[in-house]
């Protein structure tokens, strides 16, 4: 498209609006599916309506005050924090390990790249069903392996003490492929001359990794870390398909609380307020990451 526009002279100096017709479809879709739903959610959060969606009444910030006064909301916020503390470090560590194993060419590397990146290609529903079979408390292979080692079976998804952390591991596994792809690209952009010079100077592999590789990889790590943290706070598919917020609401994270209030409790204005509060938290976290970490990132000249 850019080549076609260049040949036609679109976008040259003096024609700033000539590309607008080509951008209008994208702008229209963005407005329809992104901006308008956010505005609708904001409008709903400032009103109260009956069970059937009739007769909206303006309440201002009343819905937000009601949400913040509910103990179950703060329980969901705490569960979301625990979930993110499992998912984000685990996915980053596994993604970096996978990238380090496959970013250089060697015999058979294509097989391992396919194996690691396969988690990205598997749909969430398929992965959730597979994990449900694997972790089944009676006939699942996980408990069969434990029995073979002489260990007792575990209620991976049916115990309030284990369900959230099990879902965290599953979510991290599902994101490893995408994380590894980005980190592999970042590792391949590190100049080999720098690493070779460090080797000639007698630097050990650990020294090269921590003093050269990680600093030069920091822009990619920062981007991936930001995406992983935000994604872990909005994970929905695995929770919905495997536990539905249970058992005993032990996996009722923030985003699933929004879904539950909107489509099961029929408290749409309260759910809209919860969704907007989650949006503000994500925005604040992104800003904090840019402020605390982004300015320490090493960008190569």
């Amino acid at each position: 498209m850019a080549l076609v526009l260049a040949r036609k002279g679109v976008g040259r100096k003096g024609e700033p609006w000539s590309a607008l017709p080509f951008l209008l479809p994208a702008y229209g879709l963005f407005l329809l599916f992104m901006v308008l739903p956010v505005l609708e959610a904001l409008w709903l959060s400032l009103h109260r309506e009956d069970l059937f969606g009739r007769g909206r009444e303006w309440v201002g910030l009343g819905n937000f005050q009601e949400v913040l006064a509910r103990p179950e909301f703060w329980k969901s916020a705490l569960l979301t924090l625990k979930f993110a503390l499992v998912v984000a470090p685990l996915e980053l560590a596994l993604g970096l390990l996978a990238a380090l194993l496959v970013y250089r060419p060697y015999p058979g590397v294509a097989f391992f790249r396919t194996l690691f990146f396969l988690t990205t290609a598997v749909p969430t529903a398929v992965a959730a069903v597979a994990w449900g079979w694997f972790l089944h408390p009676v006939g699942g292979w996980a408990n069969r392996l434990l029995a073979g080692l002489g260990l007792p079976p575990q209620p991976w998804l049916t115990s309030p003490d284990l369900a959230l952390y099990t879902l965290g591991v599953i979510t991290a596994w599902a994101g490893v492929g995408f994380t590894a792809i980005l980190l592999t690209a970042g590792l391949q952009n590190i100049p080999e001359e720098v690493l070779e010079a460090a080797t000639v100077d007698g630097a050990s592999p650990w020294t090269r990794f921590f003093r050269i590789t990680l600093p030069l990889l920091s822009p990619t790590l920062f981007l991936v870390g930001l995406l992983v943290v935000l994604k872990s706070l909005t994970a929905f598919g695995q929770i919905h398909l495997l536990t539905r917020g249970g058992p005993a609401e032990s996996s009722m994270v923030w985003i699933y609380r929004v879904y539950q209030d909107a489509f099961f409790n029929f408290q749409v204005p309260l759910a809209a307020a919860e969704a907007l509060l989650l949006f503000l938290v994500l925005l604040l976290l992104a800003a904090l990451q840019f402020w605390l970490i982004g300015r320490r990132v090493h960008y190569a000249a």
Side-chain angles (χ1 to χ4, degrees):
M1 176 62 73
L3 181 60
V4 174
L5 294 177
R7 288 179 177 176
K8 292 184 177 181
V10 177
R12 291 177 179 173
K13 188 176 180 180
E15 299 178 0
W17 301 103
S18 55
L20 186 59
F22 299 95
L23 298 174
L24 281 178
Y27 283 144
L29 292 174
F30 180 78
L31 179 67
L32 180 63
F33 293 108
M34 297 295 292
V35 178
L36 290 182
V38 171
L39 295 177
E40 176 68 13
L42 177 60
W43 180 258
L44 281 172
S45 68
L46 300 174
H47 292 76
R48 183 171 288 124
E49 61 185 17
D50 60 21
L51 184 62
F52 301 100
R54 299 191 296 252
R56 290 181 181 175
E57 175 189 359
W58 174 269
V59 294
L61 299 178
N63 287 325
F64 293 93
Q65 294 173 349
E66 183 175 347
V67 166
L68 294 175
R70 296 168 69 185
E72 57 268 26
F73 169 78
W74 292 107
K75 179 183 177 181
S76 293
L78 180 60
L79 289 173
T80 304
L81 177 61
K82 291 181 179 179
F83 184 76
L85 289 176
V86 173
V87 175
L90 184 60
E91 183 176 332
L92 270 176
L94 293 177
L96 181 58
L97 178 62
L100 289 169
L101 290 174
V102 300
Y103 83 99
R104 284 182 173 174
Y106 56 84
V109 69
F111 169 76
F112 290 105
R113 285 177 178 172
T114 304
L115 186 65
F116 290 144
F117 301 159
L118 190 62
T119 60
T120 303
V122 177
T124 301
V126 176
V129 170
W131 276 103
W133 288 342
F134 182 74
L135 299 173
H136 194 277
V138 178
W141 279 101
N143 283 334
R144 290 187 184 183
L145 292 173
L146 290 179
L149 296 173
L151 299 174
Q154 298 296 323
W156 302 105
L157 295 171
T158 56
S159 167
D161 297 325
L162 287 178
L164 183 72
Y165 302 103
T166 303
L167 289 169
V169 173
I170 295 173
T171 304
W173 170 87
V176 163
F178 177 72
T179 302
I181 289 173
L182 295 180
L183 292 177
T184 299
L187 287 168
Q188 290 175 341
N189 283 329
I190 297 176
E192 284 292 334
E193 297 82 3
V194 179
L195 296 173
E196 291 173 359
T199 304
V200 172
D201 289 340
S204 66
W206 286 108
T207 302
R208 293 197 303 270
F209 178 73
F210 286 105
R211 297 294 182 89
I212 298 175
T213 301
L214 277 185
L216 293 178
L217 188 63
S218 58
T220 307
L221 272 175
F222 173 69
L223 171 63
V224 172
L226 178 64
L227 294 176
V228 167
V229 169
L230 297 182
K231 185 185 68 172
S232 65
L233 294 173
T234 55
F236 178 84
Q238 292 86 353
I239 297 171
H240 180 63
L241 293 167
L242 290 172
T243 63
R244 296 185 180 273
E249 293 196 351
S250 61
S251 60
M252 184 69 69
V253 295
W254 195 329
I255 190 69
Y256 205 80
R257 174 72 65 186
V258 174
Y259 169 76
Q260 196 81 8
D261 285 341
F263 298 105
F264 286 89
N265 300 332
F266 302 106
Q267 298 175 325
V268 178
L270 289 180
E274 290 169 345
L276 285 172
L277 287 173
L278 178 58
F279 170 74
L280 292 176
V281 168
L282 295 177
L283 194 64
L284 178 61
L285 281 176
L288 282 175
Q289 282 186 273
F290 272 100
W291 181 58
L292 295 175
I293 304 175
R295 59 183 180 178
R296 295 183 174 89
V297 171
H298 173 80
Y299 293 96

